[in-house]
Amino acid sequence: MPVAIVQVVNNTSRTVNYQNTRTGYKISVPPRPTQWNPNWLPSSSFSNDTTPFRGTGRVEVWLSEPGDNTKKGPTVEISDHNWQFSMVGPVSYSQPQTRVESWHGNLSNGGQYILRLDEAYDGRTRCAFTFLRYRNWLKFESGYITSQSLGEAAVVAGLILMAIFW
């Protein structure tokens, strides 16, 4: 059975856009509010969106200004390759056209995963991608998830830095 990304969590100052080229599923998750409670993070609704196998499609993720979901900055492409998440995207701001492929995690047959995006600073703001194993007992509210619930989810692959802020 294929794996699925079931939730997207946004802990950045930009809107996170997610589009599956195989299934057509598309969402935008608003940025964390400027006056925000660090225990609550904006998230998408639950959707069992099958992650395409490498070569059959991809999930595209990009950041945009709030209210404007057009692709202006770089895109990260995610697919399933040999039971790992394949990620293709820019890792350097000095060479934004250079795209690197890397593989992360140890995925399980029919596994369901949460994709979390955070801002990370290492001299320049980057976007840190983390994949968490979804459990049906995690606490989600309408449009938000508690950081405590995310802390209880098992990390499959974490802090994969991509240069997609512009």
Side-chain angles (χ1 to χ4, degrees), residues 4 10 19 28-29 46 60 63 67 69-70 72 79 81-82 85 94 108 114 122 132 148 153:
N10 185 4
Q19 181 174 344
S28 295
V29 181
F46 180 92
E60 297 177 343
L63 301 176
N69 301 339
T70 57
K72 291 183 180 169
S79 60
H81 182 66
N82 293 330
F85 283 115
S94 62
S108 59
I114 299 167
D122 65 348
L132 304 154
Q148 178 182 0

Side-chain angles (χ1 to χ4, degrees), residues 1 8 10 20 42 58 75 79 86 109 123 132 136 138 151 158 161:
M1 283 182 70
V8 178
N10 185 4
N20 188 323
R58 64 194 171 278
T75 300
S79 60
S86 164
N109 189 15
L132 304 154
N136 60 2
L138 294 173
L161 297 178

Side-chain angles (χ1 to χ4, degrees), residues 1 3 28 34 45 54 65 83 91 110 127 132 136 139 151 163:
M1 283 182 70
V3 301
S28 295
T34 53
S45 299
R54 187 168 174 250
E65 292 294 334
W83 301 106
V91 294
C127 193
L132 304 154
N136 60 2
K139 296 195 177 6

Side-chain angles (χ1 to χ4, degrees), residues 13-14 63 65 72-74 90-97 118-128 160-166:
S13 60
R14 306 278 173 93
L63 301 176
E65 292 294 334
K72 291 183 180 169
V91 294
S92 168
Y93 284 108
S94 62
Q95 296 177 322
Q97 301 308 318
D118 293 277
E119 285 182 31
Y121 188 79
D122 65 348
R124 175 92 194 253
T125 302
R126 296 183 191 267
C127 193
I160 305 153
L161 297 178
M162 293 287 176
I164 62 173
F165 276 86
W166 70 98

Side-chain angles (χ1 to χ4, degrees), residues 40-98:
W40 292 89
L41 299 174
S43 69
S44 65
S45 299
F46 180 92
S47 178
N48 198 21
D49 186 45
T50 301
T51 304
F53 294 113
R54 187 168 174 250
T56 66
R58 64 194 171 278
V59 170
E60 297 177 343
V61 177
W62 70 94
L63 301 176
S64 64
E65 292 294 334
D68 179 10
N69 301 339
T70 57
K71 292 183 188 177
K72 291 183 180 169
T75 300
V76 173
E77 299 171 359
I78 302 170
S79 60
D80 177 354
H81 182 66
N82 293 330
W83 301 106
Q84 291 186 304
F85 283 115
S86 164
M87 296 184 68
V88 178
V91 294
S92 168
Y93 284 108
S94 62
Q95 296 177 322
Q97 301 308 318
T98 302

